[in-house]
Amino acid sequence: MDNSRDSRENLSLEKKSADKFTAFLGSWKFLIFQTIFFAFWIILNVVAFTKHWDPFPFILLNLVVGFQAAYAAPIILMSDNRAAERDRKKAALDLATDRKAEREIEQLQEHLKRIESEKLDKILEILKSGK
């Protein structure tokens, strides 16, 4: 059973949206789209024949990018916080598994010591009865 998959299925709409938005912002698809958008915006404003709605130095474009950053950063942080929480839960499970394995190994070592001691006692008994 995949715990990460199960935890994703129980997410709220906001958390799912934040994860999808972050995945999109961190993709080549978004980078290429944004580059084409910026190039289109700049070219239209430089070579426009009638009206330059955002002449150089492209203040409106800077405002759009600022708004994008202002909204993208908190959404990315929400997704990062969720990833950190998943990592903490996974680390706690790993620690519990390690502790359980350690207890089982200690029990096995005790059992082996007991077997070894019994064998030595039998060997000593055989040696004493043989004399």
Side-chain angles (χ1 to χ4, degrees):
M1 179 166 62
D2 186 7
N3 288 336
S4 63
R5 183 176 175 195
D6 290 341
S7 65
R8 284 189 198 123
E9 291 173 357
N10 296 327
L11 295 178
S12 66
L13 178 62
E14 295 86 9
K15 291 178 180 179
K16 286 181 184 177
S17 298
D19 286 347
K20 287 182 180 181
F21 188 76
T22 301
F24 176 68
L25 285 180
S27 69
W28 278 103
K29 187 182 200 180
F30 174 74
L31 187 61
I32 292 167
F33 169 77
Q34 190 169 21
T35 302
I36 291 169
F37 175 78
F38 288 164
F40 184 72
W41 183 292
I42 292 169
I43 290 168
L44 279 180
N45 278 286
V46 169
V47 298
F49 293 110
T50 58
K51 184 179 178 186
H52 300 273
W53 74 88
D54 188 21
F56 184 81
F58 311 113
I59 295 170
L60 185 58
L61 179 61
N62 284 321
L63 181 65
V64 169
V65 172
F67 269 112
Q68 176 190 11
Y71 282 97
I75 294 171
I76 291 168
L77 289 173
M78 284 188 281
S79 185
D80 285 348
N81 288 340
R82 281 195 3 78
E85 181 62 29
R86 277 193 311 267
D87 291 344
R88 280 191 293 275
K89 287 179 182 178
K90 185 179 181 303
L93 288 173
D94 288 346
L95 180 61
T97 302
D98 290 347
R99 286 184 176 166
K100 182 179 178 185
E102 183 181 8
R103 285 191 303 270
E104 289 176 357
I105 289 170
E106 288 172 354
Q107 289 173 350
L108 284 171
Q109 286 176 334
E110 289 297 321
H111 185 68
L112 287 173
K113 283 180 188 176
R114 193 171 41 250
I115 290 173
E116 185 178 319
S117 176
E118 289 173 2
K119 282 184 178 182
L120 284 174
D121 289 344
K122 285 183 183 179
I123 290 172
L124 287 174
E125 186 179 307
I126 293 171
L127 287 175
K128 284 182 185 176
S129 65
K131 285 187 177 180

